[in-house]
Amino acid sequence: MRYLLAIGLTMVAHGAMAQDVLTDLAGSWAGSGTYLDRNIEEDIRCRINVTSNDSTTNIAGVCASARRNEDIELSILRNDDGTLTAQQENENSIRRPLVMDGVLGRDSIELSGRRGAEETRLTLQLIDPDTLAMISVISSANRTQSTTLQFDRR
């Protein structure tokens, strides 16, 4: 379930709403959106819980579509040099990047990783304190999958 990698991997924020985008994400979120693969669009729903401290942000939850469910577990670590490392804990992600690197911008978090021929990019944006947008793209030479979600704080 490739769209779940995207869900599990990150989130981004907009504006100077708080000291830090990762801190702003803490809380419970519910969202919906679409997963597109090989010209087939599938509606998905997700619920995630985000906890954050000075060094680590953890994302845990579940996503579901009419055909499947999958648990999500992701840790985002702040490195001493200001970069980010995201590690996906979900063992169902055997073909997806287990580690992604990225940066924490003033109003965004962007992560990317590669495993074999697949490249994954994840961007999240906090549209306002209670609305989170996420875009994920997983691509290889002959296939591109994308997930677009909008979450509301619960």
Side-chain angles (χ1 to χ4, degrees):
M1 199 172 197
R2 294 174 175 244
Y3 62 76
L4 295 178
L5 172 65
I7 310 306
L9 287 181
T10 297
M11 311 202 159
V12 186
H14 180 302
M17 293 181 211
Q19 308 163 338
D20 185 291
V21 171
L22 290 173
T23 303
D24 289 347
L25 295 175
S28 295
W29 299 85
S32 62
T34 57
Y35 169 68
L36 180 63
D37 183 18
R38 297 182 180 156
N39 294 324
I40 298 172
E41 190 171 286
E42 186 174 352
D43 293 334
I44 57 174
R45 300 170 321 283
C46 300
R47 290 185 183 269
I48 57 173
N49 292 306
V50 181
T51 57
S52 190
N53 61 37
D54 290 343
S55 62
T56 306
T57 297
N58 293 303
I59 300 170
V62 65
C63 287
S65 70
R67 298 184 301 153
R68 53 191 154 200
N69 293 357
E70 190 167 330
D71 293 333
I72 298 158
E73 195 171 329
L74 173 82
S75 295
I76 303 170
L77 307 172
R78 300 168 195 259
N79 300 316
D80 291 339
D81 64 0
T83 62
L84 301 174
T85 301
Q87 182 171 352
Q88 187 173 2
E89 304 294 336
N90 187 343
E91 60 190 55
N92 293 336
S93 63
I94 204 160
R95 293 188 51 225
R96 299 178 194 103
L98 298 176
V99 176
M100 298 178 75
D101 296 312
V103 294
L104 176 64
R106 179 178 155 247
D107 64 356
S108 67
I109 299 168
E110 296 185 29
L111 296 173
S112 64
R114 178 176 289 279
R115 182 169 190 156
E118 281 186 346
E119 180 181 4
T120 300
R121 295 182 315 270
L122 179 68
T123 302
L124 294 112
Q125 181 172 355
L126 195 57
I127 296 169
D128 63 46
D130 294 322
T131 308
L132 173 67
M134 186 209 70
I135 298 172
S136 171
V137 177
I138 301 171
S139 58
S140 63
N142 54 3
R143 184 176 181 185
T144 299
Q145 303 154 78
S146 64
T147 304
T148 303
L149 289 161
Q150 181 169 317
F151 289 91
D152 295 312
R153 195 178 296 273
R154 301 186 308 178

